[in-house]
């Protein structure tokens, strides 16, 4: 049984599973049709972008148009908006780049892997909303370098500000939730163990009955769809 009180310091880590009910496929599941001919490394690495910026931008723009722009937050996202209003200390760390937590209304969100609707320049990381529509490769209006998606490509490091903010929240939390994430991509995957070692209660929400592995045995495992489980977790 999981009892939560208003003064608990809460951290929620979310992954692709929470967006599944909003119709957003994972990176690999989106590699359908024409995109199935490519390897992920040809579409989402810095060297791929430098070699063929048009291809990489087309891939991101296609996902924005096919899924992200059409998606609306589901009951799991909305439950977390209520949690942020209810708890005195609430931090949301998301590995999703779809922006759905912010669209839903959450404010203290660490977009750990970036945001697919933003671009940043190769020269100085100047940030912009996604401004491309079609063929051209947009350039930074400040320094004239090429604009790339503002996401963490494979093999790239997490933005240091995001990493520090997430580390701090995890190390100081009373309750840690891992929702809809397979827990294989580090450093986010390590947070549940860090929280446990420092004495936090932990809870995994996942549809997969084989999750968690024994090395990451959570205090509480709630099996089911995030959109059904989260709205039913009682707040005192
Ligand atoms: N509710 C809860 N859990 C779900 C649901 C759902 N409706 N649907 C799927 N799941 C679970 C799956 O069982 C799986 O454990 O969500 C998890 C999704 O795992 P992944 O697809 O590996 O996504 P994630 O953990 O976010 O991956 C981390 O890896 O591919 C990279 O950068 C990408 O951010 C991503 C990172």
């Amino acid at each position: 049984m999981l009892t939560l009180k208003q003064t608990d310091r809460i951290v929620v880590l979310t992954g692709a599973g929470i967006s599944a009910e909003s119709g957003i496929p994972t990176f690999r599941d989106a590699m359908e049709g024409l995109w199935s001919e490519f390897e992920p490394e040809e579409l989402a690495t810095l060297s791929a972008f430098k070699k063929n910026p048009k291809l990489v931008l087309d891939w991101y723009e296609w996902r924005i148009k096919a899924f992200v722009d059409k998606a609306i937050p589901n009951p799991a996202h909305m439950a977390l908006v209520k949690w942020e209003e209810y708890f005195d200390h609430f931090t949301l760390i998301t590995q999703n780049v779809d922006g759905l937590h912010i669209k839903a209304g959450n404010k203290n969100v660490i977009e750990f892997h970036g945001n697919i609707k933003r671009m940043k320049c190769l020269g100085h990381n100047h940030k912009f909303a996604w401004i491309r529509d079609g063929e051209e490769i947009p350039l930074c209006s400040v320094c004239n370098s090429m604009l790339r998606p503002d996401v963490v490509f494979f093999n790239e490091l997490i933005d240091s500000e995001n990493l520090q903010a997430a580390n701090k929240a995890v190390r100081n939390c009373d309750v840690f939730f891992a929702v809809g994430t397979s827990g294989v991509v580090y450093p986010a995957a390590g947070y549940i163990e860090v929280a446990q070692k420092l004495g936090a209660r932990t809870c995994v929400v996942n549809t997969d009955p084989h999750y968690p592995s024994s090395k990451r045995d959570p205090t509480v495992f709630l099996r089911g769809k995030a959109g059904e489980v989260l709205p039913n977790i009682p707040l005192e």
Side-chain angles (χ1 to χ4, degrees), residues 14-18 20-21 26-28 95-96 113 154 180-185 205-208 211 224-227:
T14 63
I18 199 169
E21 291 161 75
T26 60
F27 185 96
R28 281 179 175 76
Q95 299 165 91
N96 300 335
H113 292 171
F154 293 120
T181 175
S182 55
V184 292
V185 177
V205 179
N206 202 297
T207 45
D208 181 355
Y211 190 103
K225 291 184 175 179

Side-chain angles (χ1 to χ4, degrees), residues 69-235:
D69 277 349
K70 293 178 187 154
I72 53 169
N74 65 57
H77 296 104
M78 298 322 296
L80 295 179
V81 176
K82 279 198 183 151
W83 287 19
E84 183 162 3
E85 287 163 6
Y86 176 77
F87 291 108
D88 297 343
H89 302 279
F90 176 87
T91 306
L92 186 46
I93 305 167
T94 187
Q95 299 165 91
N96 300 335
V97 296
D98 54 43
L100 279 179
H101 288 300
I102 289 170
K103 210 176 195 178
N106 276 115
K107 295 190 171 56
N108 194 17
V109 183
I110 300 170
E111 292 187 314
F112 215 56
H113 292 171
N115 187 311
I116 196 170
K117 295 284 301 275
R118 280 197 312 258
M119 310 189 91
K120 65 179 179 183
C121 75
L122 282 187
H124 300 91
N125 287 337
H126 295 127
K127 302 217 179 190
F128 302 89
W130 187 275
I131 52 174
R132 178 180 192 254
D133 187 14
E135 294 301 301
E136 85 285 6
I137 295 157
L139 299 178
C140 177
S141 57
V142 182
C143 69
N144 220 34
S145 65
M146 282 194 291
L147 295 183
R148 54 163 279 183
D150 184 13
V151 299
V152 177
F153 284 145
F154 293 120
N155 302 326
E156 286 191 311
L157 297 175
I158 304 291
D159 170 82
S160 65
E161 264 181 42
N162 282 342
L163 192 62
Q164 278 176 25
N167 286 348
K168 190 174 169 197
V170 171
R171 299 182 78 83
N172 288 301
C173 73
D174 299 307
V175 190
F176 179 91
F177 284 85
V179 180
T181 175
S182 55
V184 292
V185 177
Y186 281 79
Y191 281 151
I192 190 162
E193 278 179 79
V194 173
Q196 270 178 340
K197 279 188 188 145
L198 293 171
R201 288 172 286 150
T202 57
C203 176
V204 166
V205 179
N206 202 297
T207 45
D208 181 355
H210 304 297
Y211 190 103
S213 69
S214 54
K215 88 176 163 76
R216 248 183 273 112
D217 205 11
T219 316
V220 177
F221 177 53
L222 301 175
R223 183 183 163 196
K225 291 184 175 179
E228 291 165 12
V229 173
L230 290 186
N232 289 312
I233 293 179
L235 305 176

Side-chain angles (χ1 to χ4, degrees), residues 52-71:
N52 192 345
K54 181 182 178 316
L55 176 71
V56 173
L57 291 173
D58 282 350
W59 160 243
Y60 281 86
E61 192 167 305
W62 178 74
R63 282 159 68 211
I64 290 172
K65 288 182 175 164
F67 311 113
V68 176
D69 277 349
K70 293 178 187 154

